[in-house]
């Protein structure tokens, strides 16, 4: 099957738009707004790799990842190294500024919501379980852990699932 790259990029741009709206929904519950979140993902050299990653996530039957794995890995690694809302940007997680930590938490919530409620990934686990399994072993300060814990509680308490699902509907109409 031949896939038009314009269709991949159109889909990807809509996915980024939905993700940014979703991140900012969760951020708003914490009193923040990050309008420039992930803006590097719409520019090269990151754009193409991420376009294939996310197109593949929504169209796994096409198995694009095998063909574009290196490109996707490079895009992911570059974004995570340069974006202040990713732990890979820092030599020590205790150096993460509060505002970046809040953006990180909103990003984690958006990604987790997408995995569980939009993509229905069979291996997806709830965010607090993911954090306990993967991130809790990092040398966070007690202050940071308190921010993370309170933010998770606030988001869990205040999230309107229907609103977040409606954010993703524009993308789902393209699948």
């Amino acid at each position: 099957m031949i896939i038009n790259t314009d269709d991949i990029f159109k889909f990807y741009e809509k996915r980024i738009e939905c993700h940014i709206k979703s991140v900012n929904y969760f951020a708003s519950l914490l009193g923040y707004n990050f309008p420039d979140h992930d803006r590097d993902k719409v520019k090269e050299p990151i754009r193409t790799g991420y376009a294939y990653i996310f197109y593949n996530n929504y169209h796994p039957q096409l198995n694009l990842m095998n063909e574009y794995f290196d490109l996707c890995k490079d895009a992911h690694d570059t974004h995570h190294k340069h974006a202040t809302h990713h732990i890979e940007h820092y030599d020590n997680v205790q150096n993460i500024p509060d505002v970046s930590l809040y953006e990180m938490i909103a990003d984690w919530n958006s990604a987790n919501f997408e995995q569980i409620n939009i993509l229905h990934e069979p291996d997806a686990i709830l965010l607090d379980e993911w954090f306990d399994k993967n991130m809790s072993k990092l040398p966070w300060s007690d202050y940071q852990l308190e921010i993370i814990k309170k933010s998770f509680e606030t988001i869990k308490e205040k999230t309107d699932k229907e609103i977040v699902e409606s954010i993703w509907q524009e993308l789902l109409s393209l699948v």
Side-chain angles (χ1 to χ4, degrees):
M1 170 184 234
I2 296 174
I3 303 159
N4 184 328
T5 55
D6 288 342
D7 291 340
I8 291 172
F9 289 123
K10 179 181 175 186
F11 180 85
Y12 172 67
E13 288 165 7
K14 181 55 69 180
R15 190 262 166 205
I16 285 293
E17 179 184 317
C18 292
H19 173 67
I20 292 169
K21 287 178 183 177
S22 177
V23 164
N24 280 296
Y25 171 81
F26 290 115
S28 72
L29 301 177
L30 303 173
Y32 287 88
N33 182 34
F34 302 104
D36 293 327
H37 180 81
D38 280 356
R39 292 297 176 199
D40 64 328
K41 286 184 177 180
V42 297
K43 299 175 187 164
E44 296 301 348
I46 296 172
R47 177 180 176 246
T48 299
Y50 267 108
Y52 283 100
I53 287 171
F54 287 107
Y55 195 84
N56 190 76
N57 285 348
Y58 283 84
H59 304 89
Q61 72 280 10
L62 301 176
N63 203 21
L64 293 174
M65 286 296 290
N66 291 337
E67 293 179 44
Y68 296 98
F69 182 77
D70 289 338
L71 186 62
C72 298
K73 182 180 178 339
D74 289 345
H76 175 272
D77 292 350
T78 299
H79 172 68
H80 280 239
K81 182 178 178 184
H82 295 288
T84 60
H85 63 274
H86 286 288
I87 60 170
E88 295 85 352
H89 181 78
Y90 302 92
D91 292 331
N92 182 334
V93 293
Q94 291 185 21
N95 295 332
I96 300 172
D98 289 0
V99 69
S100 295
L101 184 57
Y102 283 109
E103 184 175 4
M104 192 179 295
I105 292 165
D107 192 32
W108 292 341
N109 275 274
S110 179
N112 190 248
F113 189 94
E114 181 181 15
Q115 291 168 336
I116 292 173
N117 298 290
I118 306 303
L119 289 168
H120 307 288
E121 291 180 0
D123 297 331
I125 59 176
L126 295 175
L127 184 58
D128 49 357
E129 293 173 34
W130 170 84
F131 183 85
D132 289 346
K133 181 178 177 183
N134 298 292
M135 304 296 277
S136 65
K137 295 161 186 65
L138 297 175
W140 302 100
S141 70
D142 290 342
Y143 171 76
Q144 289 172 310
L145 287 171
E146 189 63 23
I147 287 175
I148 294 166
K149 178 184 171 198
K150 284 184 178 181
S151 296
F152 282 7
E153 289 171 1
T154 298
I155 288 172
K156 197 177 284 187
E157 176 185 307
K158 292 184 176 182
T159 296
D160 183 329
K161 184 178 175 187
E162 289 179 10
I163 291 174
V164 186
E165 285 176 339
S166 73
I167 291 169
W168 291 96
Q169 285 308 306
E170 291 179 56
L171 179 66
L172 293 176
S173 69
L174 298 177
V175 178

